[in-house]
Amino acid sequence: MDAQESWPQLVQSTNDRFTKAHPGVQVDVQYQQWTTKNQKLDAVLAGKNVPDVVEMGNSETTNYIVNGAFSAVDPARFDQSDAWLPALADACRADGKTYCVPYYVGARVAVYRTDQFARAGVTGAPKAYPELLSALDKLKGTYGAEDPNYSALYMPGRYWYAAMAFVKDAGGEIAVKDGDKWKSSLSSPQSVAGLTEWKRLIDTYYVGDRAKDNGDQPQVVGQGRVGVFYGNTWEATAAADERSGGDPKLKDKFDTFPFPGPSGKLLPPFLGGSTLAVPAKSTRKDLAADWIKMFTDRESQKALIAVNTLPNNTTQLAEVAGGGINGPAAQAAATGGWMTPFAPGWTSVEKSNILPEMLERIANGKQSVQDATREADQRINEVINER
């Protein structure tokens, strides 16, 4: 849906280039809803008439690859493959082969109200974790004293992309590979330390329902009672857009900075993005690979950058304007970020809601970090190795 709404010109220009290079060949692009696409894809892949190119989230590819759903491709055929972002490229690799091509990526950053920073006496975006805490203290002291529902930092309890960033920052992991099996490691000392700091932030700066996730973050932020939130840059635009439940009065009152982590480094963001794959049953594999090549080459990546989307490679991250709203996201992405485990059963872990449920219990104080993570480890280990 991003391609349909945000860069339809890139899709059209690629189709034009492709049909010029392959006279008589027509391209039929069919857009799907992201939440239901996998169910539809599973059904069509079971038959004979399969699409020639499919888009996948980079956290979704492993299960399809290990089950033989995608055809291997030669990375040397694709522009800048030696500079693909690891979070995308690693999701495409298995047994020394490459089964998909990185498309684009997103990285979360701190998004803040510039007018609130000014009134609270915060001069400039925080560059280190102590500076961030000082800014949040000033926001809380200025606005929290006036409004008991004000959150200096919006951080709902089930927001696992944020919580796991603190785990990674502390040197922890969601799961690690042990031999040929995956094993959950949320109860490791490092992971526990990261979640303990995440809980401290919630207790100190967040006012709101701890049993919710970040799904309505732009709408909540649009109500004007949030100083800083951790999210994608498009959410700042949405928070000021009436069509998405935001407040137009907030237009031009947001800016971004890379979220500093407690470790002294930037908080490593989850690098969520998309890849493009050729189904193993496709009868036009070479043509499919050629279309992907055009759609992901250097010029196409420039088109994505122009619409505030991060490219698929480290080289062109430097082309993202540092002073623009997406500049800090490029800076965060350049750190390497993190990805969910490339385990065959990771999709089952997500469907089971193990992480959000664990975090909700921690955020609400119903379980200690240690007890909640041990229980989550047990639940994850039951499904993470399933194909």
Side-chain angles (χ1 to χ4, degrees), residues 296-310:
T296 59
D297 67 12
R298 191 181 304 265
E299 291 304 312
S300 292
Q301 293 296 307
K302 285 184 178 180
L304 291 178
I305 293 171
V307 291
N308 285 326
T309 300
L310 298 182

Side-chain angles (χ1 to χ4, degrees), residues 1-13 15 27-34 36-37 40 55 103 291 295:
M1 294 297 288
D2 283 335
Q4 184 179 24
E5 297 173 1
S6 301
W7 48 88
Q9 297 88 351
L10 174 57
V11 177
Q12 186 59 54
S13 65
N15 290 346
V27 181
D28 177 20
V29 178
Q30 297 184 13
Y31 294 101
Q32 306 294 325
Q33 292 294 326
W34 194 258
T36 58
K37 67 176 177 57
K40 293 182 178 179
E55 178 184 354
Y103 173 14
W291 187 90
F295 193 59

Side-chain angles (χ1 to χ4, degrees), residues 26 60 69 77 100 111 127 149 156 161 187 199 213 219 234-235 245 264 272 280 339 347 352 376:
Q26 294 183 331
E60 301 171 334
R77 183 173 182 173
C100 54
V111 185
K127 292 183 173 59
N149 294 314
Y161 288 117
S187 61
K199 172 69 158 53
D213 61 21
Q219 291 80 13
W234 64 263
E235 293 179 278
M339 262 301 301
T347 301
S352 299

Side-chain angles (χ1 to χ4, degrees), residues 229-269:
F229 69 94
Y230 183 65
N232 294 295
T233 53
W234 64 263
E235 293 179 278
T237 303
D241 190 337
E242 189 173 17
R243 293 171 299 178
S244 55
D247 184 354
K249 295 178 182 178
L250 300 182
K251 183 175 171 52
D252 299 324
K253 292 185 177 180
F254 291 102
D255 205 347
T256 62
F257 59 89
F259 201 109
S263 69
K265 301 178 181 179
L266 295 183
L267 193 72

Side-chain angles (χ1 to χ4, degrees), residues 301-325:
Q301 293 296 307
K302 285 184 178 180
L304 291 178
I305 293 171
V307 291
N308 285 326
T309 300
L310 298 182
N312 66 3
N313 66 89
T314 56
T315 302
Q316 288 184 277
L317 280 178
E319 297 178 15
V320 179
I325 196 170

Side-chain angles (χ1 to χ4, degrees), residues 19-308:
T19 53
K20 184 177 181 179
H22 301 282
V25 179
Q26 294 183 331
V27 181
D28 177 20
V29 178
Q30 297 184 13
Y31 294 101
Q32 306 294 325
Q33 292 294 326
W34 194 258
T35 54
T36 58
K37 67 176 177 57
N38 285 9
Q39 182 180 358
K40 293 182 178 179
L41 179 61
D42 292 345
V44 75
L45 289 181
K48 295 181 179 180
N49 187 23
V50 302
D52 298 301
V53 177
V54 296
E55 178 184 354
M56 301 291 297
N58 57 337
S59 63
E60 301 171 334
T61 60
T62 300
N63 184 260
Y64 286 90
I65 292 172
V66 299
N67 284 292
F70 298 151
S71 176
V73 296
D74 179 5
R77 183 173 182 173
F78 302 93
D79 199 6
Q80 304 185 110
S81 59
D82 58 341
W84 283 342
L85 288 166
L88 296 174
D90 291 349
C92 291
R93 295 173 179 145
D95 301 324
K97 295 182 178 181
T98 299
Y99 291 90
C100 54
V101 177
Y103 173 14
Y104 70 95
V105 78
R108 289 171 172 80
V109 293
V111 185
Y112 69 101
R113 285 280 299 273
T114 54
D115 55 333
Q116 291 188 9
F117 266 46
R119 185 187 165 205
V122 182
T123 56
K127 292 183 173 59
Y129 196 64
E131 293 178 16
L132 172 63
L133 298 183
S134 175
L136 295 176
D137 285 334
K138 290 178 180 179
L139 290 169
K140 182 178 179 180
T142 302
Y143 290 92
E146 302 171 352
D147 183 357
N149 294 314
Y150 177 82
S151 290
L153 175 66
Y154 185 72
M155 185 66 70
R158 293 172 68 97
Y159 189 3
W160 67 271
Y161 288 117
M164 293 303 108
F166 283 87
V167 167
K168 295 289 291 188
D169 182 70
E173 298 284 350
I174 300 173
V176 295
K177 200 167 187 181
D178 184 10
D180 61 350
K181 298 290 185 181
W182 285 84
K183 184 178 180 181
S184 183
S185 59
L186 290 169
S187 61
S188 72
Q190 296 88 345
S191 298
V192 167
L195 288 173
T196 299
E197 179 60 20
W198 169 80
K199 172 69 158 53
R200 190 181 75 82
L201 282 179
I202 289 180
D203 289 343
T204 308
Y205 301 113
Y206 173 61
V207 178
D209 186 358
R210 300 189 180 198
K212 64 180 297 185
D213 61 21
N214 62 313
D216 62 349
Q217 189 161 255
Q219 291 80 13
V220 174
V221 173
Q223 296 173 11
R225 292 173 161 178
V226 172
V228 180
F229 69 94
Y230 183 65
N232 294 295
T233 53
W234 64 263
E235 293 179 278
T237 303
D241 190 337
E242 189 173 17
R243 293 171 299 178
S244 55
D247 184 354
K249 295 178 182 178
L250 300 182
K251 183 175 171 52
D252 299 324
K253 292 185 177 180
F254 291 102
D255 205 347
T256 62
F257 59 89
F259 201 109
S263 69
K265 301 178 181 179
L266 295 183
L267 193 72
F270 170 75
L271 292 185
S274 280
T275 64
L276 298 166
V278 179
K281 291 182 179 180
S282 168
T283 59
R284 294 172 285 265
K285 292 184 178 66
D286 195 59
L287 287 172
D290 205 33
W291 187 90
I292 294 174
K293 175 184 176 181
M294 295 180 185
F295 193 59
T296 59
D297 67 12
R298 191 181 304 265
E299 291 304 312
S300 292
Q301 293 296 307
K302 285 184 178 180
L304 291 178
I305 293 171
V307 291
N308 285 326

